[in-house]
Coordinates of all heavy atoms in Angstrom, one line a residue:
M699 N -29.7 -55.5 -42.2 CA -29.9 -54.1 -42.4 C -30.7 -53.9 -43.6 O -30.4 -54.4 -44.7 CB -28.6 -53.3 -42.4 CG -28.8 -51.8 -42.7 SD -27.2 -50.9 -42.6 CE -27.3 -50.4 -40.9
A700 N -31.7 -53.1 -43.6 CA -32.6 -52.8 -44.7 C -31.9 -52.1 -45.8 O -31.0 -51.3 -45.6 CB -33.8 -52.0 -44.2
L701 N -32.3 -52.3 -47.0 CA -31.7 -51.7 -48.2 C -32.1 -50.2 -48.3 O -33.2 -49.9 -47.9 CB -32.2 -52.4 -49.5 CG -31.8 -53.9 -49.6 CD1 -32.5 -54.5 -50.8 CD2 -30.3 -54.0 -49.7
N702 N -31.2 -49.4 -48.8 CA -31.6 -48.0 -49.0 C -32.1 -47.9 -50.5 O -32.1 -48.8 -51.3 CB -30.4 -47.1 -48.8 CG -29.3 -47.3 -49.7 OD1 -29.4 -47.5 -50.9 ND2 -28.1 -47.2 -49.2
E703 N -32.6 -46.7 -50.8 CA -33.3 -46.4 -52.1 C -32.3 -46.7 -53.3 O -32.7 -47.4 -54.3 CB -33.8 -45.0 -52.2 CG -34.6 -44.8 -53.4 CD -35.1 -43.3 -53.5 OE1 -35.1 -42.6 -52.5 OE2 -35.6 -43.0 -54.6
K704 N -31.1 -46.3 -53.2 CA -30.1 -46.5 -54.2 C -29.9 -48.0 -54.5 O -29.8 -48.5 -55.6 CB -28.8 -45.8 -53.9 CG -27.8 -45.9 -55.0 CD -26.5 -45.1 -54.6 CE -25.5 -45.1 -55.7 NZ -24.3 -44.4 -55.4
E705 N -29.8 -48.8 -53.4 CA -29.6 -50.2 -53.5 C -30.8 -50.9 -54.1 O -30.7 -51.8 -54.9 CB -29.2 -50.8 -52.1 CG -27.9 -50.3 -51.5 CD -27.7 -50.7 -50.0 OE1 -28.7 -50.7 -49.3 OE2 -26.6 -50.9 -49.6
I706 N -32.0 -50.5 -53.6 CA -33.2 -51.0 -54.2 C -33.3 -50.8 -55.7 O -33.6 -51.8 -56.4 CB -34.4 -50.4 -53.4 CG1 -34.5 -51.0 -52.0 CG2 -35.7 -50.7 -54.2 CD1 -35.5 -50.3 -51.2
N707 N -33.0 -49.6 -56.1 CA -33.1 -49.3 -57.6 C -32.1 -50.2 -58.3 O -32.4 -50.8 -59.4 CB -32.8 -47.8 -57.8 CG -33.9 -46.9 -57.4 OD1 -35.0 -47.3 -57.3 ND2 -33.5 -45.7 -57.0
F708 N -30.9 -50.3 -57.8 CA -29.8 -51.1 -58.5 C -30.2 -52.6 -58.5 O -30.2 -53.2 -59.6 CB -28.5 -51.0 -57.7 CG -27.4 -51.8 -58.2 CD1 -26.7 -51.4 -59.4 CD2 -27.0 -53.0 -57.7 CE1 -25.7 -52.1 -59.9 CE2 -26.0 -53.8 -58.2 CZ -25.3 -53.3 -59.3
I709 N -30.7 -53.1 -57.4 CA -31.1 -54.6 -57.4 C -32.3 -54.8 -58.3 O -32.3 -55.8 -59.0 CB -31.4 -55.0 -55.9 CG1 -30.0 -55.0 -55.1 CG2 -32.0 -56.4 -55.9 CD1 -30.2 -55.2 -53.7
A710 N -33.3 -54.0 -58.2 CA -34.5 -54.1 -59.1 C -34.1 -54.2 -60.6 O -34.6 -55.1 -61.3 CB -35.5 -53.0 -58.8
D711 N -33.2 -53.3 -61.0 CA -32.8 -53.2 -62.4 C -32.0 -54.5 -62.7 O -32.2 -55.1 -63.8 CB -31.9 -52.0 -62.6 CG -31.7 -51.8 -64.1 OD1 -32.7 -51.6 -64.8 OD2 -30.5 -51.7 -64.5
K712 N -31.1 -55.0 -61.8 CA -30.4 -56.2 -62.1 C -31.3 -57.4 -62.2 O -31.1 -58.3 -63.0 CB -29.4 -56.4 -60.9 CG -28.2 -55.5 -61.0 CD -27.3 -55.9 -62.2 CE -26.0 -55.1 -62.1 NZ -25.2 -55.3 -63.3
I713 N -32.3 -57.5 -61.3 CA -33.2 -58.6 -61.3 C -34.0 -58.7 -62.7 O -34.0 -59.7 -63.3 CB -34.2 -58.6 -60.2 CG1 -33.5 -58.9 -58.8 CG2 -35.4 -59.5 -60.4 CD1 -34.3 -58.6 -57.6
V714 N -34.5 -57.5 -63.1 CA -35.3 -57.5 -64.3 C -34.4 -57.8 -65.5 O -34.8 -58.6 -66.4 CB -36.0 -56.2 -64.4 CG1 -36.7 -56.0 -65.8 CG2 -37.0 -56.0 -63.3
N715 N -33.2 -57.2 -65.5 CA -32.3 -57.5 -66.6 C -31.9 -59.0 -66.7 O -31.9 -59.6 -67.8 CB -31.0 -56.7 -66.5 CG -31.3 -55.2 -66.9 OD1 -32.2 -54.9 -67.7 ND2 -30.4 -54.3 -66.4
A716 N -31.8 -59.6 -65.6 CA -31.4 -61.0 -65.5 C -32.5 -61.9 -66.0 O -32.3 -62.8 -66.8 CB -31.0 -61.5 -64.1
I717 N -33.8 -61.6 -65.6 CA -34.9 -62.5 -66.1 C -35.2 -62.2 -67.6 O -35.6 -63.2 -68.2 CB -36.2 -62.3 -65.2 CG1 -36.7 -60.9 -65.2 CG2 -35.9 -62.7 -63.8 CD1 -38.0 -60.7 -64.5
I718 N -34.9 -61.0 -68.0 CA -35.1 -60.8 -69.5 C -34.0 -61.5 -70.3 O -34.3 -62.2 -71.3 CB -35.1 -59.3 -69.8 CG1 -36.4 -58.6 -69.2 CG2 -35.0 -59.0 -71.3 CD1 -36.3 -57.1 -69.3
K719 N -32.8 -61.4 -69.8 CA -31.7 -62.0 -70.5 C -31.8 -63.6 -70.6 O -31.5 -64.2 -71.6 CB -30.4 -61.7 -69.8 CG -29.1 -62.2 -70.5 CD -27.9 -61.7 -69.7 CE -26.6 -62.3 -70.5 NZ -25.4 -61.8 -69.8
K720 N -32.4 -64.1 -69.5 CA -32.6 -65.6 -69.5 C -33.9 -66.0 -70.1 O -34.3 -67.2 -70.0 CB -32.5 -66.1 -68.0 CG -31.1 -66.0 -67.4 CD -31.1 -66.5 -66.0 CE -29.7 -66.4 -65.4 NZ -29.6 -66.9 -64.1
C721 N -34.6 -65.1 -70.7 CA -35.9 -65.3 -71.4 C -36.9 -66.0 -70.4 O -37.7 -66.8 -70.9 CB -35.7 -66.2 -72.6 SG -34.6 -65.4 -73.8
L722 N -36.9 -65.5 -69.2 CA -37.9 -66.1 -68.2 C -39.2 -65.3 -68.3 O -40.2 -65.8 -67.8 CB -37.3 -66.0 -66.8 CG -36.0 -66.8 -66.6 CD1 -35.5 -66.6 -65.2 CD2 -36.3 -68.3 -66.8
V723 N -39.2 -64.2 -68.9 CA -40.4 -63.4 -69.2 C -40.4 -62.9 -70.6 O -39.4 -62.7 -71.2 CB -40.5 -62.2 -68.2 CG1 -40.7 -62.6 -66.8 CG2 -39.4 -61.2 -68.4
Q724 N -41.6 -62.6 -71.1 CA -41.8 -62.1 -72.4 C -42.4 -60.7 -72.1 O -43.5 -60.6 -71.6 CB -42.6 -63.0 -73.2 CG -42.6 -62.6 -74.7 CD -43.3 -63.7 -75.5 OE1 -44.2 -64.4 -75.0 NE2 -43.0 -63.8 -76.7
L725 N -41.7 -59.7 -72.5 CA -42.2 -58.3 -72.2 C -43.4 -58.0 -73.1 O -43.4 -58.1 -74.3 CB -41.2 -57.3 -72.5 CG -40.0 -57.3 -71.5 CD1 -39.0 -56.2 -71.8 CD2 -40.4 -57.2 -70.1
K726 N -44.5 -57.6 -72.5 CA -45.7 -57.1 -73.2 C -45.9 -55.6 -72.9 O -46.7 -55.0 -73.5 CB -46.9 -57.9 -72.8 CG -46.9 -59.4 -73.2 CD -48.1 -60.1 -72.9 CE -48.0 -61.5 -73.4 NZ -49.2 -62.3 -73.1
K727 N -45.2 -55.2 -71.9 CA -45.2 -53.8 -71.5 C -43.8 -53.3 -71.4 O -42.8 -54.0 -71.5 CB -45.9 -53.6 -70.1 CG -47.4 -54.0 -70.1 CD -48.0 -53.6 -68.9 CE -49.5 -53.9 -69.0 NZ -50.3 -53.3 -68.0
D728 N -43.7 -52.0 -71.1 CA -42.3 -51.4 -71.0 C -41.6 -52.0 -69.8 O -42.2 -52.4 -68.8 CB -42.5 -49.9 -70.7 CG -41.2 -49.1 -70.6 OD1 -40.3 -49.4 -71.4 OD2 -41.1 -48.3 -69.7
K729 N -40.3 -52.2 -70.0 CA -39.5 -52.8 -68.9 C -39.6 -52.1 -67.6 O -39.6 -52.7 -66.5 CB -38.0 -52.8 -69.4 CG -37.0 -53.2 -68.4 CD -35.6 -53.0 -68.9 CE -34.6 -53.0 -67.8 NZ -33.3 -52.6 -68.2
M730 N -39.8 -50.8 -67.6 CA -39.8 -50.0 -66.4 C -41.1 -50.4 -65.5 O -41.0 -50.2 -64.3 CB -39.8 -48.5 -66.7 CG -38.5 -48.0 -67.2 SD -37.1 -48.6 -66.2 CE -37.4 -47.8 -64.6
V731 N -42.1 -50.9 -66.2 CA -43.3 -51.3 -65.4 C -42.9 -52.5 -64.5 O -43.2 -52.5 -63.3 CB -44.4 -51.8 -66.3 CG1 -45.6 -52.4 -65.6 CG2 -44.9 -50.6 -67.2
I732 N -42.1 -53.4 -65.0 CA -41.6 -54.6 -64.3 C -40.6 -54.1 -63.2 O -40.7 -54.5 -62.1 CB -41.0 -55.6 -65.2 CG1 -42.0 -56.1 -66.2 CG2 -40.4 -56.8 -64.3 CD1 -41.5 -57.0 -67.2
V733 N -39.7 -53.2 -63.6 CA -38.7 -52.7 -62.6 C -39.4 -52.0 -61.5 O -39.1 -52.2 -60.3 CB -37.7 -51.7 -63.3 CG1 -36.8 -51.0 -62.3 CG2 -36.9 -52.4 -64.3
D734 N -40.5 -51.2 -61.8 CA -41.2 -50.5 -60.7 C -41.9 -51.5 -59.8 O -41.9 -51.3 -58.6 CB -42.2 -49.6 -61.3 CG -41.6 -48.3 -61.9 OD1 -40.5 -48.0 -61.5 OD2 -42.3 -47.7 -62.7
F735 N -42.4 -52.6 -60.3 CA -43.1 -53.7 -59.5 C -42.0 -54.3 -58.6 O -42.3 -54.5 -57.4 CB -43.7 -54.7 -60.4 CG -44.3 -55.9 -59.7 CD1 -45.5 -55.7 -59.1 CD2 -43.6 -57.1 -59.5 CE1 -46.1 -56.8 -58.3 CE2 -44.1 -58.1 -58.8 CZ -45.4 -58.0 -58.2
V736 N -40.9 -54.6 -59.1 CA -39.8 -55.2 -58.3 C -39.4 -54.2 -57.2 O -39.2 -54.6 -56.0 CB -38.6 -55.7 -59.1 CG1 -37.5 -56.2 -58.3 CG2 -39.1 -56.8 -60.1
K737 N -39.2 -53.0 -57.6 CA -38.8 -51.9 -56.6 C -39.8 -51.8 -55.5 O -39.4 -51.8 -54.3 CB -38.6 -50.6 -57.3 CG -37.3 -50.4 -58.0 CD -37.2 -49.2 -58.9 CE -37.8 -48.0 -58.4 NZ -37.6 -46.8 -59.2
K738 N -41.1 -51.8 -55.8 CA -42.1 -51.7 -54.8 C -42.1 -52.9 -53.8 O -42.2 -52.7 -52.6 CB -43.5 -51.6 -55.4 CG -43.7 -50.2 -56.0 CD -45.1 -50.0 -56.6 CE -45.2 -48.6 -57.1 NZ -45.9 -48.5 -58.3
S739 N -41.8 -54.1 -54.4 CA -41.7 -55.3 -53.5 C -40.5 -55.2 -52.6 O -40.6 -55.5 -51.4 CB -41.6 -56.5 -54.4 OG -42.7 -56.7 -55.2
L740 N -39.4 -54.7 -53.1 CA -38.2 -54.5 -52.3 C -38.4 -53.4 -51.3 O -37.9 -53.6 -50.1 CB -37.0 -54.2 -53.2 CG -36.5 -55.4 -54.1 CD1 -35.4 -54.9 -55.1 CD2 -36.0 -56.5 -53.3
E741 N -39.1 -52.4 -51.6 CA -39.3 -51.3 -50.7 C -40.2 -51.8 -49.6 O -40.0 -51.4 -48.4 CB -40.0 -50.1 -51.4 CG -39.0 -49.3 -52.3 CD -39.7 -48.4 -53.3 OE1 -41.0 -48.4 -53.4 OE2 -39.0 -47.6 -53.9
Q742 N -41.2 -52.6 -49.9 CA -42.1 -53.1 -48.8 C -41.3 -54.0 -47.9 O -41.5 -53.9 -46.6 CB -43.2 -53.9 -49.4 CG -44.3 -53.1 -50.1 CD -45.3 -53.9 -50.9 OE1 -45.2 -55.1 -51.1 NE2 -46.4 -53.2 -51.3
D743 N -40.4 -54.8 -48.4 CA -39.6 -55.6 -47.5 C -38.6 -54.8 -46.7 O -38.4 -55.1 -45.5 CB -38.7 -56.6 -48.4 CG -39.5 -57.8 -48.8 OD1 -40.7 -58.0 -48.4 OD2 -38.9 -58.7 -49.5
A744 N -38.1 -53.7 -47.3 CA -37.2 -52.8 -46.5 C -38.0 -52.1 -45.4 O -37.5 -52.0 -44.2 CB -36.6 -51.8 -47.4
L745 N -39.2 -51.7 -45.6 CA -40.0 -51.1 -44.6 C -40.3 -52.1 -43.5 O -40.3 -51.7 -42.3 CB -41.3 -50.5 -45.2 CG -41.2 -49.3 -46.0 CD1 -42.5 -48.9 -46.7 CD2 -40.7 -48.1 -45.2
K746 N -40.7 -53.3 -43.9 CA -41.0 -54.3 -42.9 C -39.7 -54.6 -42.0 O -39.8 -54.8 -40.8 CB -41.4 -55.6 -43.6 CG -41.8 -56.7 -42.6 CD -43.0 -56.4 -41.7 CE -43.3 -57.6 -40.8 NZ -44.4 -57.2 -39.9
E747 N -38.6 -54.7 -42.7 CA -37.3 -54.9 -41.9 C -37.0 -53.8 -40.9 O -36.6 -54.0 -39.8 CB -36.1 -55.1 -42.8 CG -34.9 -55.6 -42.1 CD -33.7 -56.0 -42.9 OE1 -33.9 -56.1 -44.2 OE2 -32.7 -56.2 -42.4
K748 N -37.3 -52.5 -41.4 CA -37.1 -51.4 -40.5 C -38.0 -51.4 -39.3 O -37.7 -51.1 -38.2 CB -37.3 -50.1 -41.2 CG -36.1 -49.8 -42.2 CD -36.3 -48.5 -43.0 CE -35.2 -48.3 -43.9 NZ -35.4 -47.1 -44.8
E749 N -39.3 -51.9 -39.5 CA -40.2 -52.1 -38.5 C -39.8 -53.1 -37.5 O -39.9 -53.0 -36.3 CB -41.6 -52.5 -39.1 CG -42.7 -52.7 -38.1 CD -44.0 -53.2 -38.8 OE1 -44.3 -52.5 -39.8 OE2 -44.5 -54.1 -38.4
I750 N -39.2 -54.2 -38.0 CA -38.7 -55.3 -37.1 C -37.5 -54.7 -36.3 O -37.3 -55.0 -35.1 CB -38.3 -56.5 -37.9 CG1 -39.6 -57.2 -38.4 CG2 -37.4 -57.5 -37.1 CD1 -39.4 -58.3 -39.4
D751 N -36.6 -53.9 -37.0 CA -35.5 -53.3 -36.2 C -36.0 -52.5 -35.1 O -35.5 -52.5 -34.0 CB -34.7 -52.4 -37.2 CG -33.8 -53.1 -38.1 OD1 -33.5 -54.4 -37.9 OD2 -33.2 -52.5 -39.0
K752 N -37.1 -51.7 -35.3 CA -37.6 -50.8 -34.2 C -38.1 -51.7 -33.1 O -37.9 -51.4 -31.9 CB -38.7 -50.0 -34.8 CG -38.3 -48.8 -35.6 CD -39.4 -48.0 -36.1 CE -39.0 -46.9 -37.1 NZ -40.1 -46.1 -37.6
K753 N -38.8 -52.8 -33.4 CA -39.4 -53.6 -32.4 C -38.2 -54.3 -31.6 O -38.3 -54.4 -30.4 CB -40.2 -54.7 -33.0 CG -41.6 -54.2 -33.5 CD -42.4 -55.3 -34.1 CE -43.7 -54.8 -34.6 NZ -44.5 -55.9 -35.3
T754 N -37.1 -54.6 -32.3 CA -36.0 -55.2 -31.7 C -35.3 -54.2 -30.7 O -35.0 -54.6 -29.6 CB -35.0 -55.7 -32.7 OG1 -35.7 -56.6 -33.6 CG2 -33.8 -56.5 -32.1
Y755 N -35.1 -53.0 -31.2 CA -34.5 -52.0 -30.3 C -35.4 -51.7 -29.0 O -34.8 -51.6 -27.9 CB -34.3 -50.6 -31.1 CG -33.2 -50.6 -32.0 CD1 -33.4 -50.4 -33.4 CD2 -31.9 -50.9 -31.6 CE1 -32.3 -50.4 -34.3 CE2 -30.8 -50.9 -32.4 CZ -31.0 -50.6 -33.8 OH -30.0 -50.6 -34.7
L756 N -36.7 -51.7 -29.2 CA -37.6 -51.5 -28.1 C -37.4 -52.7 -27.1 O -37.4 -52.5 -25.9 CB -39.0 -51.4 -28.5 CG -39.4 -50.1 -29.2 CD1 -40.8 -50.1 -29.7 CD2 -39.3 -48.9 -28.2
Y757 N -37.4 -53.9 -27.6 CA -37.2 -55.1 -26.8 C -35.9 -55.0 -26.0 O -35.9 -55.2 -24.8 CB -37.3 -56.3 -27.6 CG -37.1 -57.6 -26.8 CD1 -38.2 -58.2 -26.2 CD2 -35.9 -58.2 -26.6 CE1 -38.1 -59.3 -25.5 CE2 -35.7 -59.3 -25.9 CZ -36.9 -59.9 -25.3 OH -36.7 -61.1 -24.6
I758 N -34.8 -54.7 -26.7 CA -33.5 -54.6 -26.1 C -33.5 -53.5 -25.0 O -32.9 -53.6 -24.0 CB -32.4 -54.4 -27.1 CG1 -32.3 -55.7 -27.9 CG2 -31.1 -53.9 -26.5 CD1 -31.3 -55.6 -29.1
E759 N -34.2 -52.4 -25.3 CA -34.2 -51.2 -24.4 C -34.8 -51.7 -23.0 O -34.4 -51.3 -22.0 CB -35.0 -50.1 -25.0 CG -34.9 -48.8 -24.1 CD -33.5 -48.2 -24.0 OE1 -32.7 -48.3 -25.0 OE2 -33.2 -47.7 -23.0
N760 N -35.8 -52.5 -23.1 CA -36.5 -53.0 -21.9 C -35.5 -53.9 -21.0 O -35.7 -54.0 -19.8 CB -37.7 -53.8 -22.2 CG -38.8 -52.9 -22.7 OD1 -38.9 -51.8 -22.4 ND2 -39.7 -53.5 -23.6
Y761 N -34.5 -54.5 -21.6 CA -33.6 -55.4 -20.9 C -32.2 -54.8 -20.9 O -31.2 -55.6 -20.6 CB -33.6 -56.8 -21.6 CG -35.0 -57.5 -21.4 CD1 -36.0 -57.4 -22.3 CD2 -35.2 -58.2 -20.2 CE1 -37.2 -58.0 -22.2 CE2 -36.4 -58.8 -20.0 CZ -37.4 -58.7 -21.0 OH -38.6 -59.3 -20.8
K762 N -32.0 -53.6 -21.2 CA -30.7 -53.0 -21.3 C -29.8 -53.2 -20.1 O -28.6 -53.5 -20.2 CB -30.8 -51.5 -21.6 CG -29.5 -50.9 -22.0 CD -29.7 -49.4 -22.6 CE -28.4 -48.9 -23.1 NZ -28.6 -47.7 -23.8
E763 N -30.4 -52.9 -18.9 CA -29.6 -53.1 -17.7 C -29.1 -54.5 -17.5 O -28.0 -54.8 -17.1 CB -30.4 -52.6 -16.5 CG -30.6 -51.1 -16.4 CD -31.5 -50.7 -15.2 OE1 -31.6 -51.5 -14.2 OE2 -32.1 -49.6 -15.3
Q764 N -30.0 -55.4 -17.7 CA -29.7 -56.9 -17.6 C -28.6 -57.3 -18.6 O -27.7 -58.0 -18.3 CB -30.9 -57.7 -17.8 CG -30.6 -59.2 -17.6 CD -31.9 -60.0 -17.7 OE1 -33.0 -59.5 -17.9 NE2 -31.7 -61.3 -17.7
I765 N -28.7 -56.7 -19.8 CA -27.7 -57.0 -20.9 C -26.3 -56.5 -20.5 O -25.3 -57.2 -20.6 CB -28.2 -56.4 -22.2 CG1 -29.4 -57.1 -22.8 CG2 -27.0 -56.4 -23.3 CD1 -30.1 -56.4 -23.9
I766 N -26.3 -55.3 -19.9 CA -25.0 -54.7 -19.5 C -24.5 -55.5 -18.3 O -23.3 -55.8 -18.2 CB -25.2 -53.2 -19.2 CG1 -25.5 -52.5 -20.4 CG2 -24.0 -52.7 -18.5 CD1 -25.9 -51.0 -20.2
R767 N -25.4 -55.8 -17.3 CA -25.0 -56.5 -16.1 C -24.4 -57.9 -16.4 O -23.4 -58.3 -15.8 CB -26.2 -56.6 -15.1 CG -25.9 -57.1 -13.8 CD -27.1 -57.1 -12.8 NE -28.3 -57.7 -13.3 CZ -29.4 -57.0 -13.7 NH1 -29.4 -55.7 -13.5 NH2 -30.5 -57.6 -14.1
E768 N -25.0 -58.5 -17.4 CA -24.5 -59.9 -17.7 C -23.5 -59.9 -18.8 O -23.1 -61.0 -19.3 CB -25.8 -60.8 -18.1 CG -26.7 -60.9 -16.9 CD -27.9 -61.8 -17.2 OE1 -27.8 -62.6 -18.2 OE2 -28.9 -61.7 -16.4
N769 N -23.1 -58.7 -19.2 CA -22.0 -58.6 -20.2 C -22.3 -59.3 -21.5 O -21.5 -60.0 -22.0 CB -20.7 -59.0 -19.6 CG -19.5 -58.5 -20.4 OD1 -19.6 -57.4 -21.0 ND2 -18.4 -59.2 -20.4
I770 N -23.5 -59.2 -22.0 CA -24.0 -59.8 -23.2 C -23.6 -59.0 -24.4 O -23.7 -57.7 -24.4 CB -25.5 -60.0 -23.2 CG1 -25.9 -60.9 -22.0 CG2 -26.0 -60.5 -24.5 CD1 -27.4 -61.0 -21.8
D771 N -23.0 -59.6 -25.4 CA -22.6 -58.9 -26.7 C -23.9 -58.3 -27.3 O -24.8 -59.1 -27.8 CB -22.0 -59.9 -27.6 CG -21.5 -59.2 -28.9 OD1 -22.1 -58.3 -29.4 OD2 -20.4 -59.7 -29.4
Q772 N -24.0 -57.0 -27.3 CA -25.2 -56.4 -27.7 C -25.5 -56.6 -29.2 O -26.7 -56.7 -29.7 CB -25.2 -54.9 -27.4 CG -25.3 -54.6 -25.9 CD -25.4 -53.2 -25.5 OE1 -25.8 -52.3 -26.3 NE2 -24.9 -52.9 -24.3
T773 N -24.5 -56.6 -30.0 CA -24.6 -56.8 -31.5 C -25.2 -58.2 -31.7 O -26.2 -58.4 -32.5 CB -23.3 -56.6 -32.2 OG1 -22.8 -55.3 -31.9 CG2 -23.5 -56.8 -33.7
K774 N -24.6 -59.2 -31.1 CA -25.1 -60.6 -31.3 C -26.5 -60.7 -30.8 O -27.3 -61.4 -31.4 CB -24.2 -61.6 -30.7 CG -22.8 -61.8 -31.4 CD -22.0 -62.8 -30.7 CE -20.6 -62.9 -31.4 NZ -19.8 -63.9 -30.8
F775 N -26.8 -60.1 -29.6 CA -28.1 -60.2 -29.0 C -29.1 -59.6 -29.9 O -30.2 -60.1 -30.1 CB -28.1 -59.6 -27.6 CG -29.4 -59.7 -26.9 CD1 -29.7 -61.0 -26.4 CD2 -30.2 -58.7 -26.6 CE1 -30.9 -61.2 -25.7 CE2 -31.4 -58.8 -25.9 CZ -31.7 -60.1 -25.5
F776 N -28.8 -58.4 -30.5 CA -29.7 -57.7 -31.4 C -30.0 -58.6 -32.6 O -31.2 -58.8 -33.0 CB -29.1 -56.4 -31.9 CG -29.9 -55.7 -32.9 CD1 -31.0 -54.8 -32.5 CD2 -29.7 -55.9 -34.3 CE1 -31.8 -54.2 -33.4 CE2 -30.5 -55.2 -35.2 CZ -31.6 -54.4 -34.8
Q777 N -29.0 -59.2 -33.2 CA -29.2 -60.1 -34.4 C -30.0 -61.3 -34.0 O -30.9 -61.6 -34.8 CB -27.8 -60.5 -34.9 CG -27.0 -59.4 -35.5 CD -25.6 -59.8 -35.9 OE1 -25.1 -60.8 -35.4 NE2 -24.9 -59.0 -36.6
M778 N -29.8 -61.9 -32.9 CA -30.6 -63.0 -32.5 C -32.0 -62.6 -32.3 O -33.0 -63.3 -32.7 CB -30.0 -63.6 -31.2 CG -30.8 -64.8 -30.7 SD -30.2 -65.4 -29.0 CE -30.8 -64.1 -28.0
M779 N -32.3 -61.5 -31.5 CA -33.6 -61.1 -31.3 C -34.3 -60.7 -32.6 O -35.5 -60.9 -32.7 CB -33.7 -60.0 -30.3 CG -33.3 -60.4 -28.9 SD -34.1 -61.9 -28.3 CE -35.8 -61.5 -28.4
K780 N -33.6 -60.0 -33.5 CA -34.2 -59.6 -34.7 C -34.7 -60.8 -35.5 O -35.8 -60.9 -36.1 CB -33.2 -58.8 -35.5 CG -33.7 -58.3 -36.9 CD -32.7 -57.4 -37.6 CE -33.2 -57.0 -38.9 NZ -32.3 -56.1 -39.6
R781 N -33.8 -61.9 -35.6 CA -34.2 -63.1 -36.3 C -35.5 -63.7 -35.6 O -36.4 -64.2 -36.3 CB -33.1 -64.1 -36.2 CG -32.0 -63.9 -37.3 CD -31.1 -65.1 -37.4 NE -30.4 -65.4 -36.2 CZ -29.2 -65.0 -35.7 NH1 -28.6 -64.1 -36.5 NH2 -28.7 -65.4 -34.6
K782 N -35.5 -63.7 -34.3 CA -36.7 -64.3 -33.6 C -37.9 -63.5 -33.9 O -39.0 -64.1 -34.1 CB -36.4 -64.4 -32.1 CG -35.4 -65.5 -31.8 CD -35.3 -65.7 -30.3 CE -34.4 -66.8 -30.0 NZ -34.6 -67.5 -28.8
I783 N -37.8 -62.2 -33.9 CA -39.0 -61.4 -34.1 C -39.5 -61.5 -35.6 O -40.7 -61.7 -35.9 CB -38.7 -59.9 -33.8 CG1 -38.6 -59.7 -32.2 CG2 -39.8 -59.0 -34.3 CD1 -38.0 -58.4 -31.8
A784 N -38.5 -61.5 -36.5 CA -38.8 -61.7 -37.9 C -39.5 -63.1 -38.1 O -40.5 -63.2 -38.9 CB -37.6 -61.6 -38.7
E785 N -39.0 -64.1 -37.5 CA -39.5 -65.4 -37.7 C -41.0 -65.5 -37.1 O -41.9 -66.0 -37.8 CB -38.7 -66.4 -36.9 CG -39.1 -67.9 -37.1 CD -38.2 -68.8 -36.3 OE1 -37.0 -68.7 -36.4 OE2 -38.8 -69.7 -35.6
K786 N -41.2 -64.9 -36.0 CA -42.5 -64.8 -35.4 C -43.5 -64.1 -36.3 O -44.7 -64.5 -36.3 CB -42.4 -64.1 -34.0 CG -43.7 -64.0 -33.3 CD -43.5 -63.3 -32.0 CE -44.9 -63.1 -31.3 NZ -44.7 -62.3 -30.0
E787 N -43.0 -63.1 -37.0 CA -43.9 -62.3 -37.9 C -43.9 -62.9 -39.3 O -44.6 -62.3 -40.2 CB -43.5 -60.9 -37.9 CG -43.7 -60.2 -36.5 CD -43.5 -58.7 -36.5 OE1 -43.4 -58.1 -37.6 OE2 -43.4 -58.2 -35.4
G788 N -43.3 -64.0 -39.5 CA -43.3 -64.7 -40.8 C -42.5 -63.9 -41.9 O -42.8 -64.0 -43.1
F789 N -41.5 -63.2 -41.5 CA -40.6 -62.4 -42.4 C -39.3 -63.1 -42.5 O -38.6 -63.4 -41.5 CB -40.5 -61.0 -41.9 CG -39.7 -60.1 -42.8 CD1 -40.4 -59.6 -43.9 CD2 -38.4 -59.8 -42.6 CE1 -39.7 -58.7 -44.8 CE2 -37.7 -58.9 -43.4 CZ -38.4 -58.4 -44.5
V790 N -38.8 -63.3 -43.7 CA -37.5 -63.9 -44.0 C -36.5 -62.8 -44.2 O -36.7 -61.9 -45.0 CB -37.6 -64.8 -45.2 CG1 -36.2 -65.4 -45.5 CG2 -38.6 -65.9 -45.1
L791 N -35.5 -62.8 -43.3 CA -34.4 -61.8 -43.4 C -33.4 -62.1 -44.6 O -33.2 -63.2 -44.9 CB -33.7 -61.6 -42.1 CG -34.5 -61.1 -41.0 CD1 -33.7 -61.1 -39.7 CD2 -34.9 -59.6 -41.2

């Protein structure tokens, strides 16, 4: 499931604080510039994951009757198809 805005902000801040604490970067600009960069990266990933979710739902919708008829676990099937679609598109979940 894709991250929401609150989660993205929290994670971006944690990432930047961790790399600063471990001296992996030397700040030449305001910390918020780096946080914003990380947030934008996370937001792009979240949007891509939502796009993959939509494609997965559309795929499942096309086979809904067969899924029901064969008593396939829809949650597991969704996860499996989402992984396959993400892999096909070169996206790591």
